[in-house]
Amino acid sequence: MRVMLVEDDAMIGEAIGHALKDASYAVDWVRDGSAAVTSIGTQDYGIVLLDLGLPKKDGIEVLRYIRARDNPVPVLIITARDALEDRIGGLDAGADDYVLKPFEMGELLARMRAVVRRKGGSASPKLTNGAISLDPVTHEVTHAGASVHLSAREFSLLEALLVRPGAILSRSDLEDRLYGWGDEVESNAVEFLIHSLRKKLGSSAIKNVRGVGWMVSKGE
Ligand code: CA
């Protein structure tokens, strides 16, 4: 899943960016409100992490911009402990939740998963499809009950497909979700990942729609 991190504090941004990459997220880090507005206009994100005190445009303005365009992306506000009015203003402007600085990375990651899950209309954290089951919390993947070891990018790709069964994702859709700015993308990286996932999960697990992309079945 691709994340837009909007944070002007270099140390906090750095720390969050590392934690997100460790948790297999692709991260685009922007450091001011104008840059945030530009990126959200050109790129689809799975979630936005939004600091409120930002140069150029503050976080609330960024949030209003997002919601004024009917963009339903989950937005999690990152804010200081004392700023009660900011938190209320943020939620009223269309944020889905907030975390208070300073926070533990584990809490941030858990809140991100919860917000994404709620927005996706699913109360259960596990994604299942046929014999495949994927747990976004523990990162455990099983096939017919047996545990399967996946690389971080294989996991992200499988998750992207399982979130929307029946939807065809093109190579560029998948690259968008798997890679952030500055990540090097080999031209056939997605095909390699699909090939490897099929070896591990069975060749029928992921369907190829010739010339268009890949999908998992919508299920019974
Ligand atoms: Ca700030």
Side-chain angles (χ1 to χ4, degrees):
M1 179 177 292
R2 188 160 177 166
V3 181
M4 179 167 78
L5 168 63
V6 192
E7 172 61 77
D8 60 317
D9 184 297
M11 263 174 59
I12 297 175
E14 198 85 32
I16 296 175
H18 276 301
L20 292 176
K21 284 182 184 174
D22 281 350
S24 308
Y25 290 100
V27 187
D28 293 344
W29 176 17
V30 297
R31 296 155 196 249
D32 67 66
S34 298
V37 160
T38 304
S39 333
I40 199 84
T42 54
Q43 179 67 52
D44 278 334
Y45 290 102
I47 185 168
V48 173
L49 303 182
L50 183 63
D51 179 29
L52 291 180
L54 292 167
K56 297 188 185 169
K57 266 187 206 327
D58 72 26
I60 296 288
E61 278 181 81
V62 173
L63 183 54
R64 291 214 176 98
Y65 176 92
I66 292 172
R67 296 305 185 223
R69 273 148 197 81
D70 289 331
N71 185 335
V73 64
V75 176
L76 191 55
I77 283 178
I78 303 171
T79 184
R81 195 164 290 278
D82 52 359
L84 175 66
E85 275 173 33
D86 285 354
R87 301 204 297 273
I88 294 170
L91 292 169
D92 282 344
D96 295 279
D97 200 359
Y98 57 84
V99 282
L100 298 175
K101 291 180 193 174
F103 50 82
E104 296 286 328
M105 287 305 164
E107 184 191 359
L108 175 69
L109 295 171
R111 281 191 190 269
M112 287 171 65
R113 290 191 296 265
V115 159
V116 168
R117 203 158 65 223
R118 283 203 300 269
K119 274 256 148 119
S122 166
S124 157
K126 272 197 186 170
L127 297 168
T128 56
N129 191 279
I132 301 167
S133 165
L134 177 149
D135 188 331
V137 179
T138 61
H139 279 210
E140 198 194 15
V141 173
T142 60
H143 179 246
S147 183
V148 180
H149 180 76
L150 300 185
S151 73
R153 289 233 158 91
E154 288 167 3
F155 180 90
S156 297
L157 194 158
L158 182 63
E159 187 178 29
L161 292 171
L162 290 179
V163 166
R164 291 178 61 205
I168 301 167
L169 297 181
S170 69
R171 180 201 301 189
S172 69
D173 292 336
L174 289 166
E175 286 175 354
D176 278 354
R177 284 167 175 76
L178 299 181
Y179 301 95
W181 298 335
D183 289 340
E184 265 192 56
V185 191
E186 304 267 349
S187 62
N188 47 5
V190 167
E191 281 84 353
F192 271 119
L193 292 170
I194 297 273
H195 178 73
S196 166
L197 281 168
R198 281 191 174 137
K199 263 170 66 180
K200 294 176 180 180
L201 301 168
S203 53
S204 63
I206 298 170
K207 303 201 174 356
N208 182 13
V209 184
R210 199 170 291 279
V212 187
W214 298 270
M215 59 177 279
V216 296
S217 313
K218 199 149 192 173
E220 299 74 48

